[in-house]
Coordinates of all heavy atoms in Angstrom, one line a residue:
C122 N -27.1 -18.5 15.3 CA -25.8 -18.5 14.8 C -25.3 -17.0 14.7 O -26.0 -16.1 14.4 CB -25.8 -19.1 13.4 SG -24.3 -19.2 12.6
Y123 N -24.0 -16.9 15.0 CA -23.4 -15.5 14.9 C -23.5 -14.9 13.5 O -23.5 -13.7 13.4 CB -22.0 -15.5 15.5 CG -21.0 -16.4 14.7 CD1 -20.3 -15.8 13.6 CD2 -20.8 -17.7 15.0 CE1 -19.5 -16.6 12.9 CE2 -19.9 -18.5 14.3 CZ -19.3 -17.9 13.2 OH -18.4 -18.7 12.5
R124 N -23.6 -15.7 12.5 CA -23.6 -15.2 11.1 C -24.9 -14.3 10.9 O -25.0 -13.5 10.0 CB -23.6 -16.3 10.1 CG -22.2 -16.9 10.1 CD -22.2 -18.1 9.1 NE -21.0 -18.9 9.2 CZ -19.9 -18.7 8.4 NH1 -20.0 -17.8 7.4 NH2 -18.8 -19.4 8.5
D125 N -25.9 -14.6 11.7 CA -27.2 -13.8 11.6 C -27.0 -12.4 12.0 O -27.8 -11.5 11.7 CB -28.3 -14.4 12.5 CG -28.7 -15.8 12.1 OD1 -28.5 -16.1 10.9 OD2 -29.2 -16.6 12.9
E126 N -25.9 -12.1 12.7 CA -25.6 -10.7 13.2 C -24.7 -9.9 12.2 O -24.4 -8.8 12.5 CB -24.8 -10.8 14.5 CG -25.6 -11.6 15.6 CD -27.0 -11.0 15.9 OE1 -27.1 -9.7 16.0 OE2 -27.9 -11.7 16.0
W127 N -24.4 -10.4 11.1 CA -23.6 -9.7 10.1 C -24.5 -8.8 9.3 O -25.7 -9.0 9.2 CB -22.9 -10.7 9.2 CG -21.9 -11.5 9.9 CD1 -21.4 -11.4 11.2 CD2 -21.2 -12.7 9.4 NE1 -20.5 -12.3 11.5 CE2 -20.3 -13.2 10.4 CE3 -21.2 -13.3 8.2 CZ2 -19.5 -14.3 10.2 CZ3 -20.4 -14.4 8.0 CH2 -19.6 -14.9 9.0
P128 N -24.0 -7.7 8.8 CA -22.7 -7.3 8.5 C -22.0 -6.8 9.8 O -22.6 -6.3 10.7 CB -22.8 -6.2 7.5 CG -24.1 -5.6 7.7 CD -25.0 -6.7 8.2
C129 N -20.7 -6.8 9.7 CA -19.8 -6.4 10.9 C -18.9 -5.3 10.5 O -18.3 -5.4 9.4 CB -19.1 -7.7 11.4 SG -18.0 -7.4 12.8
L130 N -18.7 -4.4 11.4 CA -17.7 -3.3 11.2 C -16.6 -3.6 12.2 O -16.9 -3.8 13.4 CB -18.4 -2.0 11.5 CG -17.4 -0.7 11.5 CD1 -16.9 -0.5 10.1 CD2 -18.2 0.5 12.0
V131 N -15.4 -3.6 11.7 CA -14.2 -3.8 12.6 C -13.4 -2.5 12.5 O -12.9 -2.1 11.4 CB -13.4 -5.0 12.1 CG1 -12.2 -5.2 13.0 CG2 -14.2 -6.2 12.1
V132 N -13.3 -1.8 13.6 CA -12.5 -0.5 13.6 C -11.2 -0.8 14.3 O -11.2 -1.3 15.5 CB -13.4 0.5 14.4 CG1 -12.7 1.9 14.3 CG2 -14.8 0.6 13.9
V133 N -10.1 -0.4 13.6 CA -8.8 -0.8 14.1 C -7.8 0.4 13.9 O -8.1 1.3 13.1 CB -8.3 -2.0 13.4 CG1 -9.2 -3.2 13.6 CG2 -8.1 -1.8 11.9
P134 N -6.7 0.4 14.5 CA -5.6 1.3 14.2 C -5.2 1.0 12.7 O -5.3 -0.1 12.2 CB -4.5 1.0 15.1 CG -5.1 0.3 16.3 CD -6.3 -0.4 15.7
T135 N -4.7 2.1 12.1 CA -4.3 2.0 10.7 C -3.4 0.8 10.4 O -3.6 0.1 9.4 CB -3.7 3.3 10.2 OG1 -4.6 4.4 10.4 CG2 -3.3 3.3 8.8
S136 N -2.5 0.6 11.2 CA -1.4 -0.4 11.0 C -2.0 -1.9 11.1 O -1.3 -2.8 10.7 CB -0.3 -0.3 11.9 OG -0.7 -0.5 13.3
L137 N -3.2 -2.1 11.6 CA -3.7 -3.4 11.8 C -4.8 -3.8 10.8 O -5.3 -4.9 10.9 CB -4.3 -3.5 13.2 CG -3.3 -3.3 14.3 CD1 -4.0 -3.4 15.7 CD2 -2.2 -4.4 14.2
R138 N -5.1 -3.0 9.8 CA -6.2 -3.4 8.9 C -5.9 -4.7 8.1 O -6.8 -5.6 8.1 CB -6.4 -2.2 7.9 CG -7.0 -1.0 8.5 CD -7.2 0.1 7.5 NE -5.8 0.6 7.1 CZ -5.6 1.6 6.3 NH1 -6.6 2.3 5.8 NH2 -4.3 1.9 6.0
A139 N -4.7 -4.8 7.5 CA -4.4 -6.0 6.8 C -4.4 -7.2 7.7 O -4.8 -8.3 7.3 CB -3.1 -5.9 6.0
Q140 N -3.8 -7.1 8.9 CA -3.8 -8.2 9.9 C -5.2 -8.7 10.2 O -5.4 -9.9 10.4 CB -3.0 -7.8 11.1 CG -1.5 -7.6 10.9 CD -0.8 -7.2 12.2 OE1 -1.1 -6.1 12.6 NE2 0.1 -8.0 12.7
W141 N -6.1 -7.8 10.4 CA -7.5 -8.2 10.8 C -8.1 -8.9 9.6 O -8.8 -9.9 9.8 CB -8.3 -7.0 11.2 CG -8.4 -6.8 12.6 CD1 -7.6 -6.1 13.4 CD2 -9.4 -7.4 13.5 NE1 -8.0 -6.2 14.7 CE2 -9.1 -7.0 14.8 CE3 -10.4 -8.2 13.3 CZ2 -9.8 -7.4 15.9 CZ3 -11.2 -8.6 14.4 CH2 -10.9 -8.2 15.7
A142 N -7.9 -8.5 8.4 CA -8.4 -9.2 7.2 C -7.9 -10.6 7.2 O -8.6 -11.5 6.9 CB -8.1 -8.4 5.9
A143 N -6.6 -10.7 7.4 CA -6.0 -12.1 7.3 C -6.5 -12.9 8.5 O -6.8 -14.1 8.3 CB -4.5 -11.9 7.4
A144 N -6.7 -12.4 9.6 CA -7.2 -13.1 10.8 C -8.7 -13.6 10.5 O -9.1 -14.7 10.9 CB -7.1 -12.3 12.1
L145 N -9.5 -12.7 9.9 CA -10.9 -13.1 9.6 C -10.9 -14.3 8.6 O -11.7 -15.2 8.8 CB -11.6 -11.9 9.0 CG -12.0 -10.8 10.0 CD1 -12.4 -9.6 9.2 CD2 -13.0 -11.2 10.9
Q146 N -10.0 -14.3 7.7 CA -9.9 -15.4 6.7 C -9.4 -16.7 7.5 O -10.0 -17.8 7.3 CB -8.9 -15.1 5.6 CG -9.5 -14.1 4.7 CD -8.5 -13.7 3.6 OE1 -7.3 -13.4 3.9 NE2 -8.9 -13.7 2.4
Q147 N -8.4 -16.5 8.3 CA -7.8 -17.7 8.9 C -8.7 -18.3 10.0 O -8.9 -19.5 10.0 CB -6.5 -17.3 9.6 CG -5.8 -18.4 10.3 CD -4.5 -18.0 11.0 OE1 -4.1 -16.9 10.9 NE2 -3.9 -18.9 11.7
W148 N -9.3 -17.5 10.9 CA -10.0 -18.0 12.0 C -11.5 -18.2 11.8 O -12.1 -19.1 12.5 CB -9.7 -17.1 13.2 CG -8.3 -17.1 13.7 CD1 -7.4 -16.1 13.4 CD2 -7.6 -18.1 14.3 NE1 -6.2 -16.4 13.9 CE2 -6.3 -17.7 14.5 CE3 -7.9 -19.4 14.8 CZ2 -5.3 -18.4 15.1 CZ3 -7.0 -20.1 15.4 CH2 -5.7 -19.7 15.6
L149 N -12.1 -17.5 11.0 CA -13.5 -17.6 10.7 C -13.8 -18.2 9.3 O -15.0 -18.5 9.0 CB -14.2 -16.3 10.9 CG -14.2 -15.6 12.2 CD1 -15.0 -14.3 12.2 CD2 -14.8 -16.6 13.3
G150 N -12.8 -18.4 8.5 CA -13.0 -18.9 7.2 C -13.8 -18.0 6.3 O -14.4 -18.4 5.3
I151 N -13.7 -16.7 6.5 CA -14.4 -15.7 5.7 C -13.6 -15.6 4.3 O -12.4 -15.3 4.3 CB -14.5 -14.3 6.4 CG1 -15.1 -14.5 7.8 CG2 -15.2 -13.3 5.5 CD1 -16.5 -15.0 7.8
P152 N -14.3 -15.7 3.2 CA -13.6 -15.6 1.9 C -13.2 -14.1 1.7 O -13.8 -13.2 2.2 CB -14.7 -15.9 0.9 CG -15.8 -16.6 1.6 CD -15.7 -16.2 3.0
E153 N -12.1 -13.9 1.0 CA -11.5 -12.6 0.8 C -12.6 -11.7 0.2 O -12.6 -10.5 0.5 CB -10.3 -12.7 -0.1 CG -9.6 -11.4 -0.3 CD -8.3 -11.5 -1.1 OE1 -7.9 -12.7 -1.4 OE2 -7.7 -10.5 -1.5
R154 N -13.4 -12.2 -0.7 CA -14.4 -11.4 -1.4 C -15.5 -10.8 -0.4 O -16.1 -9.8 -0.8 CB -15.1 -12.2 -2.5 CG -16.1 -13.3 -1.9 CD -16.8 -14.0 -3.0 NE -17.6 -15.1 -2.4 CZ -17.2 -16.3 -2.1 NH1 -15.9 -16.6 -2.3 NH2 -18.0 -17.2 -1.6
D155 N -15.6 -11.3 0.8 CA -16.6 -10.9 1.7 C -16.0 -9.9 2.8 O -16.6 -9.4 3.7 CB -17.2 -12.0 2.5 CG -18.1 -12.8 1.6 OD1 -18.6 -12.3 0.6 OD2 -18.3 -14.0 1.9
I156 N -14.7 -9.6 2.6 CA -14.0 -8.7 3.5 C -13.6 -7.4 2.8 O -12.9 -7.5 1.7 CB -12.7 -9.3 4.1 CG1 -13.0 -10.6 4.8 CG2 -12.0 -8.4 5.0 CD1 -11.8 -11.5 5.2
N157 N -14.1 -6.3 3.2 CA -13.9 -5.0 2.6 C -12.9 -4.3 3.6 O -13.3 -3.8 4.6 CB -15.2 -4.3 2.5 CG -15.0 -2.9 1.9 OD1 -14.0 -2.6 1.1 ND2 -15.9 -2.0 2.2
V158 N -11.7 -4.1 3.1 CA -10.7 -3.3 3.9 C -10.6 -1.9 3.3 O -10.3 -1.8 2.1 CB -9.3 -4.0 3.9 CG1 -8.3 -3.2 4.7 CG2 -9.4 -5.4 4.4
V159 N -10.9 -0.9 4.0 CA -10.9 0.5 3.5 C -9.6 1.1 3.7 O -9.1 1.2 4.8 CB -12.0 1.3 4.3 CG1 -12.0 2.8 3.8 CG2 -13.4 0.7 4.1
F160 N -8.9 1.4 2.6 CA -7.6 2.0 2.6 C -7.6 3.5 2.2 O -6.7 4.2 2.4 CB -6.7 1.3 1.6 CG -6.2 -0.1 2.1 CD1 -6.8 -1.2 1.5 CD2 -5.3 -0.2 3.1 CE1 -6.4 -2.5 2.0 CE2 -4.9 -1.5 3.5 CZ -5.5 -2.6 3.0
K161 N -8.8 3.9 1.7 CA -9.0 5.3 1.4 C -10.4 5.7 1.6 O -11.3 5.1 1.1 CB -8.6 5.6 -0.1 CG -8.7 7.0 -0.5 CD -8.2 7.2 -1.9 CE -8.3 8.7 -2.3 NZ -7.9 8.9 -3.7
A162 N -10.7 6.7 2.5 CA -12.0 7.1 2.8 C -12.4 8.2 1.8 O -11.6 9.2 1.6 CB -12.1 7.6 4.2
S163 N -13.5 8.1 1.1 CA -13.9 9.1 0.2 C -15.5 9.1 0.2 O -16.1 8.2 0.8 CB -13.4 8.8 -1.3 OG -14.0 7.6 -1.7
V164 N -16.0 10.1 -0.5 CA -17.5 10.2 -0.6 C -18.1 8.9 -1.2 O -19.1 8.5 -0.8 CB -17.9 11.5 -1.3 CG1 -19.4 11.5 -1.5 CG2 -17.3 12.7 -0.6
A165 N -17.4 8.3 -2.2 CA -17.9 7.2 -2.9 C -17.6 5.9 -2.1 O -18.0 4.8 -2.6 CB -17.2 7.1 -4.3
C166 N -17.0 5.9 -1.0 CA -16.7 4.7 -0.3 C -17.9 3.9 0.2 O -18.8 4.5 0.8 CB -15.8 5.0 1.0 SG -15.3 3.6 1.9
Q167 N -18.0 2.7 -0.2 CA -19.1 1.8 0.2 C -18.6 0.8 1.2 O -17.6 0.1 1.0 CB -19.6 1.1 -1.0 CG -20.2 2.0 -2.1 CD -21.6 2.5 -1.8 OE1 -22.4 1.7 -1.3 NE2 -21.9 3.7 -2.1
L168 N -19.3 0.7 2.3 CA -19.0 -0.3 3.3 C -20.0 -1.5 3.1 O -21.0 -1.7 3.8 CB -19.2 0.3 4.7 CG -18.3 1.4 5.0 CD1 -18.6 2.0 6.4 CD2 -16.8 1.0 4.9
D169 N -19.8 -2.3 2.0 CA -20.7 -3.3 1.6 C -20.2 -4.7 1.7 O -20.9 -5.6 1.2 CB -21.1 -3.0 0.1 CG -19.9 -2.9 -0.8 OD1 -18.8 -3.1 -0.4 OD2 -20.1 -2.7 -2.0
G170 N -19.2 -4.9 2.5 CA -18.7 -6.3 2.7 C -19.5 -6.9 3.9 O -20.1 -6.2 4.7
L171 N -19.4 -8.2 4.1 CA -19.9 -8.8 5.3 C -19.1 -8.4 6.5 O -19.6 -8.2 7.6 CB -19.9 -10.4 5.2 CG -20.9 -11.0 4.2 CD1 -20.7 -12.5 4.2 CD2 -22.3 -10.6 4.6
F172 N -17.7 -8.2 6.3 CA -16.9 -7.6 7.3 C -16.2 -6.4 6.6 O -15.6 -6.5 5.5 CB -15.8 -8.7 7.7 CG -16.3 -9.7 8.7 CD1 -17.0 -10.8 8.2 CD2 -16.2 -9.5 10.0 CE1 -17.5 -11.7 9.1 CE2 -16.7 -10.4 10.9 CZ -17.3 -11.5 10.4
N173 N -16.3 -5.3 7.3 CA -15.7 -4.1 6.8 C -14.7 -3.6 7.8 O -15.0 -3.3 9.0 CB -16.8 -3.0 6.7 CG -17.8 -3.5 5.7 OD1 -17.7 -3.2 4.5 ND2 -18.9 -4.1 6.1
V174 N -13.4 -3.5 7.4 CA -12.3 -3.2 8.3 C -11.9 -1.8 8.0 O -11.5 -1.4 6.9 CB -11.1 -4.2 8.1 CG1 -10.0 -3.8 9.1 CG2 -11.6 -5.6 8.3
V175 N -12.0 -0.9 9.0 CA -11.8 0.5 8.8 C -10.9 1.1 9.9 O -11.0 0.6 11.1 CB -13.2 1.3 8.9 CG1 -13.0 2.8 8.7 CG2 -14.1 0.7 7.8
S176 N -10.0 2.0 9.6 CA -9.2 2.6 10.6 C -9.9 3.7 11.4 O -10.9 4.3 10.9 CB -7.9 3.1 10.0 OG -8.1 4.3 9.4
Y177 N -9.5 3.9 12.6 CA -10.1 4.9 13.4 C -10.1 6.3 12.7 O -11.0 7.1 12.8 CB -9.5 5.0 14.8 CG -9.9 3.9 15.7 CD1 -9.1 2.8 15.9 CD2 -11.1 4.0 16.4 CE1 -9.4 1.8 16.8 CE2 -11.4 3.0 17.3 CZ -10.6 1.9 17.5 OH -11.0 0.9 18.3
N178 N -9.0 6.5 12.0 CA -8.8 7.8 11.3 C -9.9 8.1 10.3 O -10.1 9.3 9.9 CB -7.4 7.8 10.6 CG -6.3 7.8 11.6 OD1 -6.5 8.1 12.8 ND2 -5.1 7.4 11.1
F179 N -10.6 7.1 9.8 CA -11.6 7.3 8.7 C -13.0 7.4 9.3 O -13.9 7.7 8.5 CB -11.6 6.1 7.7 CG -10.3 6.1 6.9 CD1 -10.0 4.9 6.3 CD2 -9.5 7.1 6.7 CE1 -8.9 4.8 5.5 CE2 -8.4 7.0 5.9 CZ -8.1 5.9 5.3
M180 N -13.2 7.2 10.6 CA -14.5 7.1 11.1 C -15.3 8.4 10.9 O -16.5 8.3 10.5 CB -14.5 6.7 12.6 CG -14.0 5.3 12.8 SD -14.9 4.1 11.9 CE -16.4 4.1 12.8
A181 N -14.8 9.6 11.2 CA -15.5 10.8 11.0 C -15.8 11.1 9.5 O -16.9 11.5 9.2 CB -14.7 12.0 11.6
K182 N -14.9 10.7 8.6 CA -15.1 10.9 7.2 C -16.2 10.0 6.7 O -16.9 10.3 5.7 CB -13.8 10.6 6.4 CG -12.7 11.6 6.7 CD -11.5 11.3 5.9 CE -10.3 12.1 6.3 NZ -9.1 11.7 5.7
L183 N -16.4 8.9 7.3 CA -17.4 7.9 6.8 C -18.7 7.9 7.6 O -19.5 7.0 7.5 CB -16.8 6.5 6.9 CG -15.6 6.2 6.0 CD1 -15.0 4.8 6.3 CD2 -16.0 6.3 4.5
S184 N -18.9 8.9 8.4 CA -20.1 8.9 9.3 C -21.4 8.8 8.6 O -22.3 8.0 9.1 CB -20.1 10.2 10.2 OG -20.2 11.3 9.4
D185 N -21.6 9.4 7.4 CA -22.8 9.2 6.7 C -23.0 7.8 6.2 O -24.1 7.2 6.3 CB -22.9 10.2 5.5 CG -23.0 11.6 5.9 OD1 -23.5 11.9 7.0 OD2 -22.7 12.5 5.1
E186 N -22.0 7.2 5.7 CA -22.0 5.8 5.3 C -22.3 4.9 6.4 O -23.0 3.9 6.3 CB -20.8 5.4 4.5 CG -20.7 4.0 4.1 CD -21.7 3.6 3.0 OE1 -22.4 4.5 2.4 OE2 -21.8 2.4 2.7
L187 N -21.7 5.2 7.6 CA -21.9 4.3 8.8 C -23.3 4.4 9.2 O -23.9 3.3 9.6 CB -21.0 4.8 9.9 CG -19.5 4.5 9.7 CD1 -18.7 5.3 10.7 CD2 -19.2 3.1 9.7
K188 N -23.9 5.5 9.2 CA -25.3 5.7 9.6 C -26.3 4.9 8.6 O -27.2 4.3 9.0 CB -25.7 7.2 9.7 CG -25.1 7.9 10.8 CD -25.4 9.4 10.8 CE -24.6 10.1 11.8 NZ -24.7 11.6 11.7
R189 N -25.9 5.0 7.3 CA -26.7 4.4 6.3 C -26.7 2.9 6.5 O -27.7 2.2 6.4 CB -26.2 4.8 4.9 CG -27.0 4.1 3.8 CD -26.3 4.3 2.4 NE -25.2 3.4 2.3 CZ -25.2 2.1 2.1 NH1 -26.4 1.5 2.0 NH2 -24.1 1.4 1.9
R190 N -25.5 2.3 6.8 CA -25.4 0.9 6.8 C -25.9 0.2 8.1 O -26.3 -0.9 8.0 CB -23.9 0.6 6.7 CG -23.6 -0.9 6.4 CD -24.2 -1.4 5.1 NE -24.3 -2.8 5.2 CZ -23.5 -3.6 4.5 NH1 -22.5 -3.2 3.8 NH2 -23.7 -4.9 4.6
Q191 N -25.9 0.9 9.2 CA -26.5 0.4 10.5 C -25.9 -1.0 10.8 O -26.7 -2.0 10.7 CB -28.0 0.4 10.4 CG -28.5 1.8 10.3 CD -30.1 1.8 10.3 OE1 -30.7 0.8 10.4 NE2 -30.6 3.0 10.4
F192 N -24.7 -1.1 11.1 CA -24.1 -2.4 11.4 C -24.7 -3.0 12.7 O -24.9 -2.3 13.7 CB -22.6 -2.2 11.6 CG -21.9 -1.9 10.3 CD1 -21.6 -0.6 10.0 CD2 -21.5 -2.9 9.4 CE1 -20.9 -0.3 8.7 CE2 -20.9 -2.7 8.2 CZ -20.6 -1.4 7.9
K193 N -24.8 -4.3 12.7 CA -25.4 -5.0 13.8 C -24.3 -5.3 14.8 O -24.5 -5.5 16.0 CB -26.0 -6.4 13.4 CG -27.2 -6.2 12.5 CD -27.8 -7.5 12.1 CE -29.1 -7.3 11.3 NZ -29.6 -8.7 10.9
V194 N -23.0 -5.5 14.3 CA -21.9 -5.8 15.2 C -20.8 -4.8 14.9 O -20.4 -4.6 13.7 CB -21.4 -7.3 15.0 CG1 -20.2 -7.5 15.8 CG2 -22.5 -8.3 15.3
V195 N -20.2 -4.2 15.9 CA -19.0 -3.4 15.8 C -18.0 -3.9 16.7 O -18.2 -4.0 17.9 CB -19.4 -1.9 16.1 CG1 -18.1 -1.0 16.0 CG2 -20.4 -1.4 15.1
V196 N -16.8 -4.2 16.2 CA -15.6 -4.6 17.0 C -14.7 -3.4 17.0 O -14.3 -2.9 15.9 CB -14.9 -5.8 16.4 CG1 -13.7 -6.2 17.2 CG2 -15.9 -7.0 16.3
A197 N -14.3 -2.9 18.2 CA -13.3 -1.8 18.3 C -12.0 -2.3 18.9 O -11.9 -2.5 20.1 CB -13.9 -0.7 19.1
D198 N -11.1 -2.7 18.1 CA -9.8 -3.1 18.5 C -9.0 -1.9 19.0 O -9.1 -0.8 18.4 CB -9.0 -3.8 17.4 CG -7.7 -4.5 17.9 OD1 -7.5 -4.6 19.1 OD2 -6.9 -4.9 17.0
E199 N -8.3 -2.0 20.1 CA -7.6 -0.9 20.7 C -8.6 0.2 21.0 O -8.4 1.4 20.6 CB -6.5 -0.4 19.7 CG -5.5 -1.4 19.3 CD -4.5 -1.8 20.4 OE1 -4.2 -0.9 21.3 OE2 -3.9 -2.8 20.3
S200 N -9.6 -0.1 21.7 CA -10.8 0.8 22.0 C -10.4 2.1 22.8 O -11.1 3.0 22.9 CB -11.9 0.1 22.6 OG -11.5 -0.4 23.9
H201 N -9.2 2.1 23.3 CA -8.7 3.3 24.0 C -8.6 4.5 23.0 O -8.6 5.6 23.5 CB -7.4 3.1 24.7 CG -6.3 2.8 23.8 ND1 -6.0 1.5 23.4 CD2 -5.3 3.5 23.2 CE1 -4.9 1.5 22.6 NE2 -4.5 2.7 22.5
F202 N -8.7 4.2 21.7 CA -8.7 5.3 20.7 C -10.0 6.1 20.9 O -10.1 7.2 20.3 CB -8.6 4.7 19.3 CG -7.2 4.4 18.9 CD1 -6.6 3.3 19.3 CD2 -6.5 5.2 18.0 CE1 -5.3 3.0 18.9 CE2 -5.3 4.9 17.6 CZ -4.6 3.8 18.0
L203 N -11.0 5.6 21.6 CA -12.3 6.2 21.8 C -12.5 6.9 23.1 O -13.6 7.1 23.6 CB -13.4 5.2 21.5 CG -13.4 4.5 20.2 CD1 -14.4 3.4 20.2 CD2 -13.7 5.5 19.1
K204 N -11.4 7.1 23.8 CA -11.4 7.6 25.2 C -12.1 9.0 25.4 O -12.6 9.3 26.4 CB -10.1 7.5 25.9 CG -9.1 8.5 25.3 CD -7.7 8.3 25.9 CE -6.7 9.1 25.2 NZ -5.3 8.8 25.6
D205 N -12.0 9.8 24.4 CA -12.6 11.1 24.4 C -14.0 11.1 23.8 O -14.1 11.1 22.6 CB -11.7 12.2 23.8 CG -12.3 13.6 23.8 OD1 -13.4 13.8 24.5 OD2 -11.7 14.5 23.3
P206 N -15.1 11.1 24.6 CA -16.4 11.0 24.0 C -16.8 12.2 23.1 O -17.7 12.1 22.3 CB -17.3 10.8 25.2 CG -16.5 11.4 26.3 CD -15.1 11.2 26.0
K207 N -16.1 13.3 23.2 CA -16.4 14.5 22.5 C -15.7 14.5 21.1 O -16.0 15.4 20.3 CB -16.1 15.7 23.3 CG -16.9 15.9 24.5 CD -16.5 17.1 25.3 CE -17.4 17.2 26.6 NZ -17.0 18.3 27.4
S208 N -14.7 13.6 20.9 CA -14.0 13.7 19.6 C -14.9 13.2 18.5 O -15.8 12.4 18.6 CB -12.8 12.7 19.7 OG -13.1 11.4 19.7
Q209 N -14.6 13.7 17.3 CA -15.4 13.3 16.1 C -15.3 11.8 15.9 O -16.2 11.2 15.5 CB -14.8 14.0 14.9 CG -15.2 15.5 14.8 CD -14.6 16.2 13.6 OE1 -13.7 15.7 12.9 NE2 -15.2 17.3 13.3
R210 N -14.1 11.2 16.1 CA -13.9 9.8 16.0 C -14.8 9.0 16.8 O -15.5 8.1 16.4 CB -12.4 9.5 16.3 CG -12.1 8.0 16.3 CD -10.7 7.8 16.9 NE -9.7 8.4 16.0 CZ -8.4 8.6 16.3 NH1 -8.0 8.1 17.5 NH2 -7.6 9.1 15.5
S211 N -14.9 9.4 18.1 CA -15.8 8.7 19.1 C -17.2 8.9 18.7 O -18.0 7.9 18.7 CB -15.5 9.2 20.5 OG -14.2 8.8 20.9
Q212 N -17.6 10.1 18.3 CA -19.0 10.3 18.0 C -19.5 9.6 16.8 O -20.6 9.1 16.7 CB -19.3 11.8 17.9 CG -19.2 12.5 19.2 CD -19.4 14.0 19.1 OE1 -19.8 14.5 18.0 NE2 -19.2 14.7 20.2
A213 N -18.6 9.3 15.8 CA -18.9 8.6 14.6 C -18.9 7.1 14.9 O -19.6 6.4 14.2 CB -17.9 8.9 13.5
T214 N -18.2 6.6 15.9 CA -18.1 5.2 16.2 C -19.2 4.7 17.1 O -19.8 3.7 16.9 CB -16.7 4.9 16.7 OG1 -15.7 5.4 15.9 CG2 -16.5 3.4 16.9
V215 N -19.4 5.5 18.2 CA -20.3 5.0 19.2 C -21.7 5.5 18.9 O -21.9 6.7 18.6 CB -19.9 5.6 20.6 CG1 -20.8 5.2 21.7 CG2 -18.4 5.1 20.9
P216 N -22.7 4.6 19.0 CA -24.1 5.1 18.6 C -24.6 6.1 19.6 O -24.3 6.2 20.7 CB -24.9 3.8 18.7 CG -24.1 2.7 19.2 CD -22.7 3.3 19.3

């Protein structure tokens, strides 16, 4: 079952975070309590939801937390944001 592959990280453009959270609820029936939408990246930020929706802009700031969490599934919407493999954003997102 695909649920065995959770937790999941969903990386999206800033403007799509809320839309992704709503789609996860609508299409997969994920309860709101299991969806963590990150609106502010900080040292104290915890990526502890079953689904964690994060904007590309926060990836470099959250690199330590991303390494700690070791997500089994990563969805990169609008993945052309990762076109430069040398960028901090790409290095924090791609293993």
Side-chain angles (χ1 to χ4, degrees):
C122 177
Y123 62 89
R124 292 177 188 262
D125 295 337
E126 302 302 318
W127 295 350
C129 182
L130 176 67
V131 182
V132 188
V133 301
T135 301
S136 63
L137 297 178
R138 290 177 294 186
Q140 287 177 298
W141 262 92
L145 289 167
Q146 289 176 312
Q147 179 182 356
W148 296 104
L149 295 180
I151 307 299
E153 185 177 353
R154 70 178 178 274
D155 291 334
I156 302 170
N157 178 27
V158 181
V159 178
F160 287 103
K161 183 178 180 183
S163 68
V164 175
C166 183
Q167 296 280 321
L168 299 176
D169 55 3
L171 288 180
F172 283 83
N173 298 274
V174 183
V175 179
S176 75
Y177 284 101
N178 294 340
F179 293 160
M180 294 304 289
K182 292 178 187 174
L183 296 173
S184 64
D185 289 340
E186 177 66 9
L187 292 167
K188 289 174 189 171
R189 182 193 70 78
R190 191 62 201 258
Q191 298 183 354
F192 290 97
K193 294 181 181 181
V194 176
V195 177
V196 176
D198 188 13
E199 305 282 340
S200 61
H201 63 274
F202 280 77
L203 301 172
K204 65 185 174 186
D205 180 2
K207 295 179 183 176
S208 73
Q209 288 180 339
R210 173 189 298 171
S211 294
Q212 290 180 8
T214 307
V215 180

